[in-house]
Amino acid sequence: MDRTPFYAESGGQVGDIGEIVFEGKHLKVIDTQKQKDLIVHKVADEIFCNVGNIVQARVDKNRRFNIMRNHTSTHLLHEALRITLGDHVYQQGSLVAPDRLRFDFNYSGKITPEQIRGIEDLVNEKIAEALPVNAPNDPKEWLTIEEAKKRYPKVKMFFGEKYGDKVRVVEVKNFTWELCGGTHVTNTKDIQFFKIISESSIASGIRRIEAVTGEGLVQHVKKMIEKANEMDVRIEGLLLEKEKLEKQLSQPLKVELSDRSSLGVIQYPTNVTIKAVDDIDRAIKDRETIIEEISNSISNLRKQLGKSRIKKIYSEIETLVANPQIVDGIKVVSGKVDVQNIKELQSLGDALRLKLGSGVGVLGAVIDDKVSLVCIVTDDIVKIKKLQAGKIVNEVAKFVGGKGGGRPNLATAGGQDIEKIDYALDKVGIIVKNLMI
């Protein structure tokens, strides 16, 4: 086209979208970019028109307006940062999109929550003052660099930037002046609200702020409420888990928790204001505190339950050792234990060896819906009776549809048939007797 209302991506501002209409056809424009001196409209359809056709180019008005809000906001933010943190602060990069803005700047220290709030308040103050914004689109109104410096002594110019013969100064009346080619609102009141949603370090000496305005703030509030609702569901799940763990303990661990009812129910605000957003933000932080408290309580309960379970198992082992089966003068014990993993089972095997003193022991457990077995043979029995743990556990495993092996004094095995674990453990004495023949 010989001219276009579409803005091509430049200076951090994303390209426009919309449509080109001709002869009753609608050609969807999905992006606008610059290629050398050309403005290129990227389209989604294969519809062609000829040289000389008259077309109507329509920019997505609502999207453009949201971009304008965010671009003017970056100028307000830039100046607010310099006022709050020092006039050495300068823009290092930016993104101006319809749903949010991103602003990178040089700063070597950390920024406190109080400073963030001060920056946010200053921007909102300038929005509330309804300051006129002058962004001349007629190149005849543009100035040379020297004219710009003379007319606007406080104009921001970036060292190393390449400027043309004429520059466009965007002025927010009595507050900030910047060289900029982007699109802007005509008055700061059009921005409505400005909210910083994140601040972070992205490189040494470079920090990043992300913020939302207008419709972007509305969408941000919706996401915050969704997050709060998801957190409520998680809290309910954690409370049920905590209650379940407490029931498994004869003496539940007492941990003081914040009052769940004090959280209340988050509803979408009638009017989206900075105060409403702050209230929702506080509600989310309250939920984060509750989640941390309950999670810590659950962690402590699990430790307590684990200690209780292991204590019970060791008691069962002592009972097994106290009532051994005697096979040709050898103490033989076997039994089923409740453990969480094979490592715990092997650890109990070592404990059984110490308590048994002399003899053979086999312990079995169901772990992850499979049978796990461990066999121990004390060193004196290995030496005198020539019994080996690997051979014993392998024979036991056959009854549960598995196999195994290992060292003469310690071996493990596995099987699939969990229904026959008790039967297999009952056969340990016979297996030991048969292996000594």
Side-chain angles (χ1 to χ4, degrees):
M1 296 180 288
D2 61 337
R3 60 189 185 275
T4 179
F6 283 77
Y7 181 87
E9 182 176 332
S10 180
Q13 180 174 326
V14 298
D16 280 331
I17 66 171
E19 63 178 4
I20 297 170
V21 183
F22 63 97
E23 297 178 351
K25 300 171 184 176
H26 293 255
L27 190 61
K28 187 176 180 181
V29 179
I30 58 174
D31 194 13
T32 310
Q33 296 283 331
K34 283 183 179 178
Q35 289 185 12
K36 295 184 179 179
D37 294 330
L38 290 176
I39 292 176
V40 179
H41 306 74
K42 295 189 174 184
V43 296
D45 315 289
E46 290 190 4
I47 303 174
F48 300 95
C49 60
N50 299 314
V51 174
N53 276 133
I54 301 299
V55 303
Q56 209 174 38
R58 300 172 180 169
V59 173
D60 185 322
K61 186 178 179 180
N62 188 57
R63 181 176 180 273
R64 163 73 80 82
F65 185 54
N66 286 321
I67 291 171
M68 290 160 62
R69 283 169 159 167
N70 286 336
H71 206 150
T72 304
S73 294
T74 62
H75 287 215
L76 298 177
L77 173 60
H78 195 174
E79 187 61 23
L81 284 166
R82 287 166 59 82
I83 290 171
T84 306
L85 304 178
D87 57 12
H88 62 286
V89 171
Y90 267 103
Q91 177 181 332
Q92 300 294 315
S94 69
L95 170 68
V96 181
D99 59 333
R100 71 193 193 284
L101 65 93
R102 188 178 72 213
F103 192 84
D104 300 341
F105 56 98
N106 62 300
Y107 192 70
S108 56
K110 286 187 177 181
I111 303 177
T112 66
E114 292 74 22
Q115 287 175 317
I116 289 292
R117 189 53 192 257
I119 292 162
E120 189 177 270
D121 287 346
L122 180 53
V123 173
N124 281 309
E125 179 185 312
K126 297 305 170 183
I127 291 170
E129 287 177 9
L131 302 176
V133 180
N134 181 34
N137 289 323
D138 187 349
K140 293 177 182 177
E141 297 182 48
W142 297 357
L143 308 170
T144 64
I145 290 289
E146 292 306 315
E147 288 171 337
K149 287 179 180 178
K150 187 175 181 180
R151 186 178 300 182
Y152 306 107
K154 294 183 179 180
V155 67
K156 296 180 186 69
M157 296 184 183
F158 301 106
F159 179 77
E161 283 281 332
K162 292 182 179 179
Y163 299 109
D165 295 333
K166 292 289 185 78
V167 293
R168 176 178 182 247
V169 178
V170 174
E171 174 191 16
V172 178
K173 190 174 181 180
N174 298 327
F175 186 64
T176 179
W177 301 261
E178 285 193 39
L179 304 186
C180 178
T183 60
H184 291 269
V185 295
T186 57
N187 192 291
T188 58
K189 68 180 180 182
D190 294 330
I191 299 169
Q192 294 183 326
F193 301 111
F194 173 87
K195 179 67 180 175
I196 294 173
I197 59 174
S198 73
E199 189 278 327
S200 61
S201 171
I202 60 168
S204 178
I206 304 294
R207 303 194 73 83
R208 170 173 290 174
I209 279 177
E210 292 192 68
V212 290
T213 68
E215 286 186 18
L217 180 58
V218 172
Q219 295 304 315
H220 177 64
V221 169
K222 288 180 180 178
K223 289 179 181 177
M224 290 175 76
I225 292 174
E226 287 174 5
K227 180 180 179 180
N229 290 336
E230 288 171 0
M231 293 173 85
D232 284 342
V233 172
R234 188 181 174 198
I235 287 170
E236 293 302 329
L238 288 170
L239 286 172
L240 287 172
E241 184 180 356
K242 176 180 174 290
E243 184 180 358
K244 182 180 177 182
L245 289 169
E246 284 178 335
K247 285 180 178 178
Q248 293 177 40
L249 286 166
S250 56
Q251 294 181 339
L253 189 68
K254 294 186 181 299
V255 176
E256 294 297 326
L257 296 174
S258 300
D259 183 11
R260 169 69 182 87
S261 62
S262 67
L263 292 175
V265 177
I266 297 182
Q267 295 180 336
Y268 194 84
T270 306
N271 294 310
V272 177
T273 63
I274 295 300
K275 183 182 181 304
V277 178
D278 287 342
D279 288 344
I280 296 171
D281 192 45
R282 276 193 294 273
I284 287 175
K285 284 182 170 59
D286 287 343
R287 282 157 172 76
E288 288 173 346
T289 300
I290 287 287
I291 287 172
E292 184 178 1
E293 288 179 359
I294 303 174
S295 296
N296 289 338
S297 177
I298 287 172
S299 178
N300 289 331
L301 285 167
R302 283 175 178 162
K303 289 177 183 176
Q304 186 80 355
L305 188 61
K307 290 177 181 177
S308 175
R309 183 173 53 80
I310 295 298
K311 186 178 179 180
K312 181 183 176 184
I313 294 171
Y314 276 107
S315 176
E316 291 172 353
I317 288 176
E318 287 179 354
T319 302
L320 287 174
V321 172
N323 300 279
Q325 181 182 1
I326 306 300
V327 178
D328 291 346
I330 299 172
K331 288 188 289 185
V332 177
V333 298
S334 62
K336 184 179 175 182
V337 291
D338 178 21
V339 294
Q340 304 293 314
N341 50 60
I342 190 66
K343 192 173 181 180
E344 278 189 10
L345 185 61
Q346 289 175 336
S347 178
L348 288 174
D350 289 333
L352 177 60
R353 185 206 320 277
L354 291 173
K355 289 196 175 288
L356 194 58
S358 175
V360 175
V362 177
L363 298 176
V366 176
I367 302 172
D368 297 330
D369 295 324
K370 294 179 182 178
V371 176
S372 292
L373 300 164
V374 64
C375 176
I376 63 98
V377 179
T378 57
D379 292 340
D380 61 318
I381 301 300
V382 172
K383 184 176 181 180
I384 298 168
K385 300 295 184 178
K386 307 300 181 184
L387 286 171
Q388 294 193 357
K391 290 181 179 180
I392 296 170
V393 81
N394 189 57
E395 290 301 315
V396 177
K398 288 178 181 179
F399 290 105
V400 291
K403 59 182 179 179
R407 303 194 308 272
N409 58 358
L410 177 66
T412 58
Q416 302 294 326
D417 195 345
I418 61 176
E419 299 295 330
K420 292 184 178 179
I421 184 172
D422 292 324
Y423 180 79
L425 291 169
D426 286 342
K427 296 295 181 182
V428 173
I430 294 172
I431 290 170
V432 171
K433 187 174 182 67
N434 291 337
L435 288 174
M436 287 196 297
I437 296 173

